Amino acid sequence: RCFFVWRVKYPSWEELERAVNFAHSQNQSVIIVTHDVGLCKGNKPGRGNMLMAQALKRVTDKHPLVPVLAQLGVARAAKELGVRITETIGPPEVNTPLNRSTEGYNSMTVVAAQKRWCEEHGMFQALALTLAIPLHMGRVQWIMEKEGFTVFPIPLLSLRSRDYADRESLYFSI
């Protein structure tokens, strides 16, 4: 077995604005995609998803027309903050366990669902503003780029991975 952590350079908020403005000047669509950190007891979003939802709110307040394709945990946290979610990416089946990644519901299947939505809406070559916790962003970026996305990380409120952990979490997987 091998365990490693990708190092991703998160841009500043100004760099994110420049990237969005450049994409629009090139008539390139822009989307926002999120990956969650898992749910907590009672299927609540938990601290990590709430932190990501706060970053998401900052982006959607500036760009309210950009579609948001959010994984379940971030979508639930965003709802609590009044953030509009275009599409919630959740487990494909009702009985899929939410306490671990499974063959049918994991980072790769979430990216596949986000890609499918983009293709169905004629937005696949969009700039994907991507939100994930620091420990997971490298994997998300790698998977998305393999699937043909142009990835631009969304700045986070904290780059310390431990800030996204929650002792009430059902699971934490990468």
Side-chain angles (χ1 to χ4, degrees):
R1 291 185 177 231
C2 176
F3 177 78
F4 58 95
V5 177
W6 285 273
R7 296 265 182 221
V8 173
K9 181 188 179 301
Y10 282 85
S12 67
W13 290 101
E14 293 77 22
E15 290 170 313
L16 181 129
E17 284 304 309
R18 283 195 298 273
V20 171
N21 291 337
F22 181 76
H24 287 312
S25 75
Q26 301 297 307
N27 292 320
Q28 182 182 20
S29 300
V30 177
I31 60 167
I32 299 170
V33 298
T34 77
H35 287 254
D36 69 18
V37 74
L39 296 173
C40 290
K41 292 177 184 173
N43 289 329
K44 300 204 180 315
R47 184 168 74 178
N49 290 318
M50 288 303 292
L51 278 172
M52 287 193 288
Q54 290 169 13
L56 177 61
K57 182 170 178 29
R58 183 167 176 177
V59 177
T60 58
D61 283 351
K62 284 193 162 230
H63 304 283
L65 301 178
V66 173
V68 179
L69 312 179
Q71 194 173 356
L72 188 60
V74 176
R76 288 187 178 172
K79 184 177 178 181
E80 291 182 21
L81 298 177
V83 176
R84 176 198 49 80
I85 301 295
T86 309
E87 183 78 16
T88 298
I89 309 297
E93 300 170 11
V94 176
N95 63 351
T96 300
L98 296 177
N99 64 345
R100 63 186 178 279
S101 291
T102 66
E103 192 173 320
Y105 185 57
N106 56 55
S107 299
M108 294 177 86
T109 61
V110 170
V111 169
Q114 291 165 335
K115 181 179 180 179
R116 199 168 31 258
W117 187 94
C118 290
E119 289 172 339
E120 290 169 1
H121 292 84
M123 298 179 75
F124 180 61
Q125 295 305 315
L127 172 65
L129 304 179
T130 306
L131 184 62
I133 64 169
L135 188 62
H136 192 51
M137 177 56 93
R139 177 177 161 80
V140 169
Q141 185 172 356
W142 175 67
I143 293 168
M144 291 185 73
E145 288 173 350
K146 277 181 52 178
E147 289 298 319
F149 282 95
T150 302
V151 176
F152 197 91
I154 292 175
L156 295 170
L157 302 178
S158 171
L159 293 178
R160 297 182 317 184
S161 292
R162 70 176 176 261
D163 291 343
Y164 296 86
D166 195 311
R167 72 176 55 184
E168 296 294 313
S169 179
L170 293 174
Y171 76 106
F172 181 80
S173 64
I174 56 173

